[in-house]
Amino acid sequence: MFRRVLMRRAYNVGRYEAARSHARLLLNNPKERTLARSVMVRSYWNEQAFQALIETASEWEDDLARSYCSLAIERLSATDSGKKLTSSKQGRLERLRGEQPKPKHAMEWNSTDMAANFSQEGERLWFRYPQGYVYWDMPKGFDLSSTHEVLLWLAAETLLSPWEPSTRAPFPSIRACGERPSLSFSAGTDSTAAALVMPDHTLLGYHRRSFDSMLDHRNAERLIGHLNGSGEREVIQIESNHELIRTHHDKPVGFSSDFACAVHLILLADHCDLGAIGFGTPIDNTFLWKGRKFRAFEETHYFTYWTKRFQEAGLNLLFPISSVSEAGALMIVKQSSWVDHLNSCMRGDGTKGCGRCWKCFHKNGPLGRTFDIKSHEIQTYLNKRPMPTATHALWALQTMGHEDELPDMAHLFEQDFSWWEKVYPPGFDLLPEPWRKQIEKRVRAFLPVMEKPYELHEINHFDEP
Ligand SMILES: [Zn+2]
């Protein structure tokens, strides 16, 4: 009994080696075995000691050990395949993390109650994760204590699920749906098209990185300024450093998961009475796998799992442009006056794109803006096999007359890609009412419909199984 207390205490303050020595002595006690194993597995995981985790737990039959083992194997193989950051980058990231603010009152990471990992100091909302803290600067009047616990659980899951299986536990309760729709808004082409097809009272939520980086917010600010200034849409900007979480896992600064780009909206859902969160995800990432192979998106575990999780948090998960490709999104924004205030390039000066990046090629190019097809970055992407966002890139090359850039893929240009700009009606089936009716009407007003049989269903550019 006493040893159990010592083990827990050591674990909770992050003295993992000590926690494991206690755990080892409890492993042969049938009553204590489950807890002891869980401490062994979780402590190795928190230290990112994947090899040791696998060696210790691979024979254990319980669910927790199994799921951590398979995650550890995944992580090891990802690291082996050369994705590991160089040591100079690691050093920079460590410095950056060291410069981040910390809450006045320290907290311990709690893997059983996700809501207990949040605290509020003034307008700042803190989140404790196994390796540290991140924060959001919330609008005036935001109150953590009147925020439904399940929103905090969902937020934690979007931030940590690739590394913390505990965040995928069943939610302790469910939240009733709010009224207002919202959209995770990056101010790029896809999310601008999504904003144009969603209802006018949709709240657009822009995530603002709180620390300096290569990313230039000026292009985004121009569009946000226009939308707020003209009153055409309401855009809220929330500053946060949560993109640092995944740097603990050998990844560059960025979102932990696809849905982490909306974590600010999840956290604001009670404050703003939200009932839906939209993502500007085009066909390229829904019905196409990595933009190059067709799949029945509605049947994927990804879609069904996350739809259910958001639903339990009182939020409809919306893909307002799931019937539209990246090209369709471009055709939508082209028909709006917002296009004059929009530029997807993240290296532009606030008015223009750089003309040399991949976005300037496949987003700005088809809008008639200048770019250099021979630039190093554009050539690098075009020569990758399989090519990223392949269907869209093929369409862009064809419409702009650059087919000769891909001599090895000449056979793919035998087809006319103009269908790629049109609406794929099965995409509307992903939208729950009442949102579907409103969104479908707007999408159809912008774009013509693809002819049947759908050429999209045949897409598999690189003959992958
Ligand atoms: Zn650019």
Side-chain angles (χ1 to χ4, degrees), residues 91-123:
R92 265 208 308 282
L93 287 172
E94 253 164 56
R95 263 200 311 285
L96 182 59
R97 290 197 300 253
E99 291 161 8
Q100 298 303 306
K102 286 206 169 60
K104 288 191 197 83
H105 300 284
M107 282 187 286
E108 283 170 10
W109 158 246
N110 186 325
S111 64
T112 52
D113 178 7
M114 289 305 142
N117 293 311
F118 289 86
S119 69
Q120 184 172 4
E121 290 176 355
E123 253 75 64

PDB file of all heavy atoms in Angstrom, residues 91-123:
ATOM      1  N   GLY A  91      18.129  22.423 -31.056  1.00  0.00           N
ATOM      2  CA  GLY A  91      18.643  23.431 -30.134  1.00  0.00           C
ATOM      3  C   GLY A  91      17.803  24.701 -30.181  1.00  0.00           C
ATOM      4  O   GLY A  91      17.460  25.272 -29.151  1.00  0.00           O
ATOM      5  N   ARG A  92      17.467  25.126 -31.405  1.00  0.00           N
ATOM      6  CA  ARG A  92      16.639  26.336 -31.562  1.00  0.00           C
ATOM      7  C   ARG A  92      15.278  26.156 -30.898  1.00  0.00           C
ATOM      8  O   ARG A  92      14.774  27.045 -30.232  1.00  0.00           O
ATOM      9  CB  ARG A  92      16.442  26.637 -33.055  1.00  0.00           C
ATOM     10  CG  ARG A  92      17.435  27.628 -33.614  1.00  0.00           C
ATOM     11  CD  ARG A  92      16.869  28.407 -34.787  1.00  0.00           C
ATOM     12  NE  ARG A  92      16.293  27.580 -35.843  1.00  0.00           N
ATOM     13  CZ  ARG A  92      17.008  26.922 -36.771  1.00  0.00           C
ATOM     14  NH1 ARG A  92      18.326  26.982 -36.758  1.00  0.00           N
ATOM     15  NH2 ARG A  92      16.414  26.219 -37.705  1.00  0.00           N
ATOM     16  N   LEU A  93      14.701  24.968 -31.097  1.00  0.00           N
ATOM     17  CA  LEU A  93      13.381  24.712 -30.516  1.00  0.00           C
ATOM     18  C   LEU A  93      13.438  24.677 -28.993  1.00  0.00           C
ATOM     19  O   LEU A  93      12.548  25.181 -28.315  1.00  0.00           O
ATOM     20  CB  LEU A  93      12.818  23.389 -31.049  1.00  0.00           C
ATOM     21  CG  LEU A  93      12.355  23.440 -32.501  1.00  0.00           C
ATOM     22  CD1 LEU A  93      11.998  22.050 -32.998  1.00  0.00           C
ATOM     23  CD2 LEU A  93      11.163  24.373 -32.671  1.00  0.00           C
ATOM     24  N   GLU A  94      14.507  24.094 -28.480  1.00  0.00           N
ATOM     25  CA  GLU A  94      14.650  24.062 -27.024  1.00  0.00           C
ATOM     26  C   GLU A  94      14.738  25.471 -26.456  1.00  0.00           C
ATOM     27  O   GLU A  94      14.119  25.783 -25.451  1.00  0.00           O
ATOM     28  CB  GLU A  94      15.907  23.285 -26.636  1.00  0.00           C
ATOM     29  CG  GLU A  94      15.588  21.920 -26.058  1.00  0.00           C
ATOM     30  CD  GLU A  94      16.795  21.013 -26.046  1.00  0.00           C
ATOM     31  OE1 GLU A  94      17.822  21.414 -25.454  1.00  0.00           O
ATOM     32  OE2 GLU A  94      16.722  19.927 -26.667  1.00  0.00           O
ATOM     33  N   ARG A  95      15.513  26.334 -27.145  1.00  0.00           N
ATOM     34  CA  ARG A  95      15.619  27.727 -26.699  1.00  0.00           C
ATOM     35  C   ARG A  95      14.253  28.403 -26.729  1.00  0.00           C
ATOM     36  O   ARG A  95      13.859  29.077 -25.799  1.00  0.00           O
ATOM     37  CB  ARG A  95      16.598  28.497 -27.604  1.00  0.00           C
ATOM     38  CG  ARG A  95      18.000  28.602 -27.026  1.00  0.00           C
ATOM     39  CD  ARG A  95      18.793  29.733 -27.668  1.00  0.00           C
ATOM     40  NE  ARG A  95      18.755  29.724 -29.123  1.00  0.00           N
ATOM     41  CZ  ARG A  95      19.448  28.870 -29.896  1.00  0.00           C
ATOM     42  NH1 ARG A  95      20.229  27.967 -29.344  1.00  0.00           N
ATOM     43  NH2 ARG A  95      19.372  28.936 -31.214  1.00  0.00           N
ATOM     44  N   LEU A  96      13.540  28.199 -27.848  1.00  0.00           N
ATOM     45  CA  LEU A  96      12.223  28.804 -28.013  1.00  0.00           C
ATOM     46  C   LEU A  96      11.280  28.351 -26.897  1.00  0.00           C
ATOM     47  O   LEU A  96      10.566  29.154 -26.295  1.00  0.00           O
ATOM     48  CB  LEU A  96      11.665  28.425 -29.389  1.00  0.00           C
ATOM     49  CG  LEU A  96      10.316  28.985 -29.806  1.00  0.00           C
ATOM     50  CD1 LEU A  96      10.330  30.508 -29.802  1.00  0.00           C
ATOM     51  CD2 LEU A  96       9.935  28.475 -31.203  1.00  0.00           C
ATOM     52  N   ARG A  97      11.309  27.071 -26.597  1.00  0.00           N
ATOM     53  CA  ARG A  97      10.442  26.557 -25.526  1.00  0.00           C
ATOM     54  C   ARG A  97      10.850  27.153 -24.186  1.00  0.00           C
ATOM     55  O   ARG A  97      10.002  27.481 -23.358  1.00  0.00           O
ATOM     56  CB  ARG A  97      10.494  25.033 -25.477  1.00  0.00           C
ATOM     57  CG  ARG A  97       9.822  24.363 -26.661  1.00  0.00           C
ATOM     58  CD  ARG A  97       9.540  22.905 -26.378  1.00  0.00           C
ATOM     59  NE  ARG A  97      10.754  22.149 -26.094  1.00  0.00           N
ATOM     60  CZ  ARG A  97      11.314  21.276 -26.943  1.00  0.00           C
ATOM     61  NH1 ARG A  97      10.760  21.035 -28.107  1.00  0.00           N
ATOM     62  NH2 ARG A  97      12.411  20.634 -26.619  1.00  0.00           N
ATOM     63  N   GLY A  98      12.169  27.313 -23.994  1.00  0.00           N
ATOM     64  CA  GLY A  98      12.665  27.879 -22.738  1.00  0.00           C
ATOM     65  C   GLY A  98      12.221  29.319 -22.529  1.00  0.00           C
ATOM     66  O   GLY A  98      12.103  29.786 -21.396  1.00  0.00           O
ATOM     67  N   GLU A  99      11.989  30.045 -23.627  1.00  0.00           N
ATOM     68  CA  GLU A  99      11.601  31.466 -23.524  1.00  0.00           C
ATOM     69  C   GLU A  99      10.107  31.654 -23.250  1.00  0.00           C
ATOM     70  O   GLU A  99       9.653  32.775 -23.046  1.00  0.00           O
ATOM     71  CB  GLU A  99      11.900  32.185 -24.850  1.00  0.00           C
ATOM     72  CG  GLU A  99      13.372  32.346 -25.164  1.00  0.00           C
ATOM     73  CD  GLU A  99      13.617  32.624 -26.657  1.00  0.00           C
ATOM     74  OE1 GLU A  99      12.632  32.845 -27.417  1.00  0.00           O
ATOM     75  OE2 GLU A  99      14.792  32.593 -27.045  1.00  0.00           O
ATOM     76  N   GLN A 100       9.334  30.579 -23.301  1.00  0.00           N
ATOM     77  CA  GLN A 100       7.875  30.717 -23.170  1.00  0.00           C
ATOM     78  C   GLN A 100       7.478  31.031 -21.724  1.00  0.00           C
ATOM     79  O   GLN A 100       8.116  30.562 -20.791  1.00  0.00           O
ATOM     80  CB  GLN A 100       7.178  29.425 -23.631  1.00  0.00           C
ATOM     81  CG  GLN A 100       7.425  29.072 -25.087  1.00  0.00           C
ATOM     82  CD  GLN A 100       7.000  30.183 -26.027  1.00  0.00           C
ATOM     83  OE1 GLN A 100       5.865  30.647 -25.983  1.00  0.00           O
ATOM     84  NE2 GLN A 100       7.919  30.638 -26.865  1.00  0.00           N
ATOM     85  N   PRO A 101       6.396  31.807 -21.569  1.00  0.00           N
ATOM     86  CA  PRO A 101       5.931  32.115 -20.205  1.00  0.00           C
ATOM     87  C   PRO A 101       5.387  30.860 -19.507  1.00  0.00           C
ATOM     88  O   PRO A 101       5.078  29.872 -20.162  1.00  0.00           O
ATOM     89  CB  PRO A 101       4.809  33.121 -20.437  1.00  0.00           C
ATOM     90  CG  PRO A 101       4.374  32.941 -21.839  1.00  0.00           C
ATOM     91  CD  PRO A 101       5.562  32.443 -22.604  1.00  0.00           C
ATOM     92  N   LYS A 102       5.313  30.958 -18.194  1.00  0.00           N
ATOM     93  CA  LYS A 102       4.765  29.847 -17.393  1.00  0.00           C
ATOM     94  C   LYS A 102       3.685  30.406 -16.470  1.00  0.00           C
ATOM     95  O   LYS A 102       3.725  31.578 -16.108  1.00  0.00           O
ATOM     96  CB  LYS A 102       5.871  29.235 -16.525  1.00  0.00           C
ATOM     97  CG  LYS A 102       6.853  28.385 -17.301  1.00  0.00           C
ATOM     98  CD  LYS A 102       7.493  27.340 -16.393  1.00  0.00           C
ATOM     99  CE  LYS A 102       8.263  26.313 -17.192  1.00  0.00           C
ATOM    100  NZ  LYS A 102       9.351  26.890 -17.997  1.00  0.00           N
ATOM    101  N   PRO A 103       2.735  29.588 -16.065  1.00  0.00           N
ATOM    102  CA  PRO A 103       1.687  30.096 -15.161  1.00  0.00           C
ATOM    103  C   PRO A 103       2.258  30.383 -13.770  1.00  0.00           C
ATOM    104  O   PRO A 103       3.280  29.801 -13.394  1.00  0.00           O
ATOM    105  CB  PRO A 103       0.688  28.943 -15.105  1.00  0.00           C
ATOM    106  CG  PRO A 103       1.455  27.729 -15.474  1.00  0.00           C
ATOM    107  CD  PRO A 103       2.539  28.172 -16.409  1.00  0.00           C
ATOM    108  N   LYS A 104       1.586  31.274 -13.026  1.00  0.00           N
ATOM    109  CA  LYS A 104       2.039  31.575 -11.651  1.00  0.00           C
ATOM    110  C   LYS A 104       1.869  30.361 -10.763  1.00  0.00           C
ATOM    111  O   LYS A 104       2.683  30.078  -9.909  1.00  0.00           O
ATOM    112  CB  LYS A 104       1.223  32.736 -11.088  1.00  0.00           C
ATOM    113  CG  LYS A 104       1.575  34.065 -11.715  1.00  0.00           C
ATOM    114  CD  LYS A 104       0.929  35.210 -10.930  1.00  0.00           C
ATOM    115  CE  LYS A 104       0.912  36.478 -11.755  1.00  0.00           C
ATOM    116  NZ  LYS A 104      -0.222  36.550 -12.702  1.00  0.00           N
ATOM    117  N   HIS A 105       0.767  29.644 -11.003  1.00  0.00           N
ATOM    118  CA  HIS A 105       0.506  28.460 -10.177  1.00  0.00           C
ATOM    119  C   HIS A 105       0.774  27.196 -10.988  1.00  0.00           C
ATOM    120  O   HIS A 105       0.136  26.976 -12.017  1.00  0.00           O
ATOM    121  CB  HIS A 105      -0.936  28.470  -9.670  1.00  0.00           C
ATOM    122  CG  HIS A 105      -1.228  29.682  -8.849  1.00  0.00           C
ATOM    123  ND1 HIS A 105      -0.781  29.820  -7.560  1.00  0.00           N
ATOM    124  CD2 HIS A 105      -1.875  30.830  -9.167  1.00  0.00           C
ATOM    125  CE1 HIS A 105      -1.151  31.004  -7.104  1.00  0.00           C
ATOM    126  NE2 HIS A 105      -1.810  31.641  -8.058  1.00  0.00           N
ATOM    127  N   ALA A 106       1.726  26.404 -10.504  1.00  0.00           N
ATOM    128  CA  ALA A 106       2.103  25.202 -11.245  1.00  0.00           C
ATOM    129  C   ALA A 106       1.003  24.138 -11.158  1.00  0.00           C
ATOM    130  O   ALA A 106       0.200  24.133 -10.227  1.00  0.00           O
ATOM    131  CB  ALA A 106       3.400  24.648 -10.671  1.00  0.00           C
ATOM    132  N   MET A 107       0.958  23.286 -12.178  1.00  0.00           N
ATOM    133  CA  MET A 107      -0.007  22.183 -12.196  1.00  0.00           C
ATOM    134  C   MET A 107       0.743  20.917 -12.554  1.00  0.00           C
ATOM    135  O   MET A 107       1.806  20.971 -13.159  1.00  0.00           O
ATOM    136  CB  MET A 107      -1.056  22.411 -13.299  1.00  0.00           C
ATOM    137  CG  MET A 107      -2.122  23.399 -12.974  1.00  0.00           C
ATOM    138  SD  MET A 107      -3.359  23.363 -14.300  1.00  0.00           S
ATOM    139  CE  MET A 107      -2.511  24.192 -15.618  1.00  0.00           C
ATOM    140  N   GLU A 108       0.118  19.789 -12.232  1.00  0.00           N
ATOM    141  CA  GLU A 108       0.662  18.506 -12.668  1.00  0.00           C
ATOM    142  C   GLU A 108      -0.181  17.984 -13.809  1.00  0.00           C
ATOM    143  O   GLU A 108      -1.392  18.192 -13.834  1.00  0.00           O
ATOM    144  CB  GLU A 108       0.631  17.500 -11.513  1.00  0.00           C
ATOM    145  CG  GLU A 108       1.737  17.735 -10.514  1.00  0.00           C
ATOM    146  CD  GLU A 108       1.555  16.905  -9.266  1.00  0.00           C
ATOM    147  OE1 GLU A 108       0.691  16.012  -9.249  1.00  0.00           O
ATOM    148  OE2 GLU A 108       2.308  17.161  -8.309  1.00  0.00           O
ATOM    149  N   TRP A 109       0.473  17.298 -14.736  1.00  0.00           N
ATOM    150  CA  TRP A 109      -0.269  16.663 -15.849  1.00  0.00           C
ATOM    151  C   TRP A 109      -1.173  15.575 -15.273  1.00  0.00           C
ATOM    152  O   TRP A 109      -0.756  14.763 -14.464  1.00  0.00           O
ATOM    153  CB  TRP A 109       0.731  16.077 -16.848  1.00  0.00           C
ATOM    154  CG  TRP A 109       0.197  14.996 -17.724  1.00  0.00           C
ATOM    155  CD1 TRP A 109       0.584  13.684 -17.727  1.00  0.00           C
ATOM    156  CD2 TRP A 109      -0.793  15.116 -18.754  1.00  0.00           C
ATOM    157  NE1 TRP A 109      -0.114  12.993 -18.686  1.00  0.00           N
ATOM    158  CE2 TRP A 109      -0.966  13.844 -19.332  1.00  0.00           C
ATOM    159  CE3 TRP A 109      -1.559  16.185 -19.239  1.00  0.00           C
ATOM    160  CZ2 TRP A 109      -1.866  13.594 -20.362  1.00  0.00           C
ATOM    161  CZ3 TRP A 109      -2.457  15.946 -20.271  1.00  0.00           C
ATOM    162  CH2 TRP A 109      -2.604  14.667 -20.822  1.00  0.00           C
ATOM    163  N   ASN A 110      -2.436  15.605 -15.701  1.00  0.00           N
ATOM    164  CA  ASN A 110      -3.416  14.627 -15.229  1.00  0.00           C
ATOM    165  C   ASN A 110      -3.911  13.809 -16.414  1.00  0.00           C
ATOM    166  O   ASN A 110      -4.569  14.337 -17.301  1.00  0.00           O
ATOM    167  CB  ASN A 110      -4.574  15.378 -14.562  1.00  0.00           C
ATOM    168  CG  ASN A 110      -5.563  14.440 -13.904  1.00  0.00           C
ATOM    169  OD1 ASN A 110      -5.809  13.341 -14.395  1.00  0.00           O
ATOM    170  ND2 ASN A 110      -6.117  14.878 -12.790  1.00  0.00           N
ATOM    171  N   SER A 111      -3.576  12.516 -16.454  1.00  0.00           N
ATOM    172  CA  SER A 111      -3.935  11.723 -17.634  1.00  0.00           C
ATOM    173  C   SER A 111      -5.318  11.090 -17.502  1.00  0.00           C
ATOM    174  O   SER A 111      -5.791  10.433 -18.419  1.00  0.00           O
ATOM    175  CB  SER A 111      -2.889  10.644 -17.889  1.00  0.00           C
ATOM    176  OG  SER A 111      -2.892   9.739 -16.807  1.00  0.00           O
ATOM    177  N   THR A 112      -5.978  11.282 -16.378  1.00  0.00           N
ATOM    178  CA  THR A 112      -7.310  10.686 -16.238  1.00  0.00           C
ATOM    179  C   THR A 112      -8.429  11.718 -16.317  1.00  0.00           C
ATOM    180  O   THR A 112      -9.546  11.392 -16.695  1.00  0.00           O
ATOM    181  CB  THR A 112      -7.449   9.901 -14.912  1.00  0.00           C
ATOM    182  OG1 THR A 112      -7.044  10.764 -13.847  1.00  0.00           O
ATOM    183  CG2 THR A 112      -6.583   8.658 -14.928  1.00  0.00           C
ATOM    184  N   ASP A 113      -8.139  12.973 -15.960  1.00  0.00           N
ATOM    185  CA  ASP A 113      -9.158  14.017 -16.085  1.00  0.00           C
ATOM    186  C   ASP A 113      -8.590  15.158 -16.919  1.00  0.00           C
ATOM    187  O   ASP A 113      -7.859  16.007 -16.421  1.00  0.00           O
ATOM    188  CB  ASP A 113      -9.571  14.525 -14.697  1.00  0.00           C
ATOM    189  CG  ASP A 113     -10.606  15.648 -14.795  1.00  0.00           C
ATOM    190  OD1 ASP A 113     -11.084  15.925 -15.927  1.00  0.00           O
ATOM    191  OD2 ASP A 113     -10.925  16.238 -13.753  1.00  0.00           O
ATOM    192  N   MET A 114      -8.927  15.179 -18.209  1.00  0.00           N
ATOM    193  CA  MET A 114      -8.344  16.183 -19.115  1.00  0.00           C
ATOM    194  C   MET A 114      -8.700  17.602 -18.692  1.00  0.00           C
ATOM    195  O   MET A 114      -7.905  18.528 -18.859  1.00  0.00           O
ATOM    196  CB  MET A 114      -8.822  15.947 -20.555  1.00  0.00           C
ATOM    197  CG  MET A 114      -8.226  14.709 -21.174  1.00  0.00           C
ATOM    198  SD  MET A 114      -6.429  14.738 -21.104  1.00  0.00           S
ATOM    199  CE  MET A 114      -6.082  13.033 -20.764  1.00  0.00           C
ATOM    200  N   ALA A 115      -9.915  17.786 -18.140  1.00  0.00           N
ATOM    201  CA  ALA A 115     -10.344  19.133 -17.752  1.00  0.00           C
ATOM    202  C   ALA A 115      -9.439  19.702 -16.655  1.00  0.00           C
ATOM    203  O   ALA A 115      -9.266  20.916 -16.552  1.00  0.00           O
ATOM    204  CB  ALA A 115     -11.801  19.103 -17.300  1.00  0.00           C
ATOM    205  N   ALA A 116      -8.840  18.800 -15.860  1.00  0.00           N
ATOM    206  CA  ALA A 116      -7.992  19.255 -14.752  1.00  0.00           C
ATOM    207  C   ALA A 116      -6.660  19.815 -15.245  1.00  0.00           C
ATOM    208  O   ALA A 116      -5.883  20.357 -14.467  1.00  0.00           O
ATOM    209  CB  ALA A 116      -7.738  18.091 -13.792  1.00  0.00           C
ATOM    210  N   ASN A 117      -6.382  19.718 -16.531  1.00  0.00           N
ATOM    211  CA  ASN A 117      -5.127  20.248 -17.069  1.00  0.00           C
ATOM    212  C   ASN A 117      -5.234  21.707 -17.511  1.00  0.00           C
ATOM    213  O   ASN A 117      -4.277  22.269 -18.027  1.00  0.00           O
ATOM    214  CB  ASN A 117      -4.661  19.383 -18.239  1.00  0.00           C
ATOM    215  CG  ASN A 117      -4.253  17.995 -17.776  1.00  0.00           C
ATOM    216  OD1 ASN A 117      -3.497  17.858 -16.822  1.00  0.00           O
ATOM    217  ND2 ASN A 117      -4.794  16.968 -18.421  1.00  0.00           N
ATOM    218  N   PHE A 118      -6.418  22.296 -17.347  1.00  0.00           N
ATOM    219  CA  PHE A 118      -6.615  23.695 -17.745  1.00  0.00           C
ATOM    220  C   PHE A 118      -6.718  24.589 -16.512  1.00  0.00           C
ATOM    221  O   PHE A 118      -7.269  24.191 -15.488  1.00  0.00           O
ATOM    222  CB  PHE A 118      -7.905  23.839 -18.562  1.00  0.00           C
ATOM    223  CG  PHE A 118      -7.811  23.227 -19.937  1.00  0.00           C
ATOM    224  CD1 PHE A 118      -8.074  21.879 -20.139  1.00  0.00           C
ATOM    225  CD2 PHE A 118      -7.441  24.013 -21.033  1.00  0.00           C
ATOM    226  CE1 PHE A 118      -7.980  21.314 -21.408  1.00  0.00           C
ATOM    227  CE2 PHE A 118      -7.349  23.451 -22.304  1.00  0.00           C
ATOM    228  CZ  PHE A 118      -7.615  22.099 -22.491  1.00  0.00           C
ATOM    229  N   SER A 119      -6.198  25.821 -16.625  1.00  0.00           N
ATOM    230  CA  SER A 119      -6.397  26.806 -15.563  1.00  0.00           C
ATOM    231  C   SER A 119      -6.427  28.185 -16.202  1.00  0.00           C
ATOM    232  O   SER A 119      -5.983  28.364 -17.342  1.00  0.00           O
ATOM    233  CB  SER A 119      -5.275  26.723 -14.520  1.00  0.00           C
ATOM    234  OG  SER A 119      -4.059  27.182 -15.080  1.00  0.00           O
ATOM    235  N   GLN A 120      -6.971  29.152 -15.487  1.00  0.00           N
ATOM    236  CA  GLN A 120      -7.102  30.503 -16.045  1.00  0.00           C
ATOM    237  C   GLN A 120      -6.441  31.513 -15.120  1.00  0.00           C
ATOM    238  O   GLN A 120      -6.639  31.476 -13.907  1.00  0.00           O
ATOM    239  CB  GLN A 120      -8.594  30.853 -16.213  1.00  0.00           C
ATOM    240  CG  GLN A 120      -8.803  32.203 -16.884  1.00  0.00           C
ATOM    241  CD  GLN A 120     -10.268  32.480 -17.222  1.00  0.00           C
ATOM    242  OE1 GLN A 120     -11.154  31.691 -16.896  1.00  0.00           O
ATOM    243  NE2 GLN A 120     -10.523  33.606 -17.864  1.00  0.00           N
ATOM    244  N   GLU A 121      -5.646  32.412 -15.695  1.00  0.00           N
ATOM    245  CA  GLU A 121      -5.056  33.530 -14.938  1.00  0.00           C
ATOM    246  C   GLU A 121      -5.327  34.779 -15.740  1.00  0.00           C
ATOM    247  O   GLU A 121      -4.755  34.958 -16.819  1.00  0.00           O
ATOM    248  CB  GLU A 121      -3.549  33.306 -14.733  1.00  0.00           C
ATOM    249  CG  GLU A 121      -3.255  32.162 -13.757  1.00  0.00           C
ATOM    250  CD  GLU A 121      -1.753  31.842 -13.601  1.00  0.00           C
ATOM    251  OE1 GLU A 121      -0.926  32.440 -14.323  1.00  0.00           O
ATOM    252  OE2 GLU A 121      -1.432  30.986 -12.758  1.00  0.00           O
ATOM    253  N   GLY A 122      -6.240  35.622 -15.280  1.00  0.00           N
ATOM    254  CA  GLY A 122      -6.671  36.780 -16.072  1.00  0.00           C
ATOM    255  C   GLY A 122      -7.353  36.281 -17.332  1.00  0.00           C
ATOM    256  O   GLY A 122      -8.179  35.381 -17.282  1.00  0.00           O
ATOM    257  N   GLU A 123      -6.940  36.857 -18.494  1.00  0.00           N
ATOM    258  CA  GLU A 123      -7.539  36.411 -19.755  1.00  0.00           C
ATOM    259  C   GLU A 123      -6.780  35.212 -20.346  1.00  0.00           C
ATOM    260  O   GLU A 123      -7.124  34.729 -21.412  1.00  0.00           O
ATOM    261  CB  GLU A 123      -7.527  37.558 -20.783  1.00  0.00           C
ATOM    262  CG  GLU A 123      -8.896  38.160 -21.018  1.00  0.00           C
ATOM    263  CD  GLU A 123      -9.350  39.039 -19.877  1.00  0.00           C
ATOM    264  OE1 GLU A 123      -8.684  40.063 -19.643  1.00  0.00           O
ATOM    265  OE2 GLU A 123     -10.341  38.690 -19.222  1.00  0.00           O
TER     266      GLU A 123
END
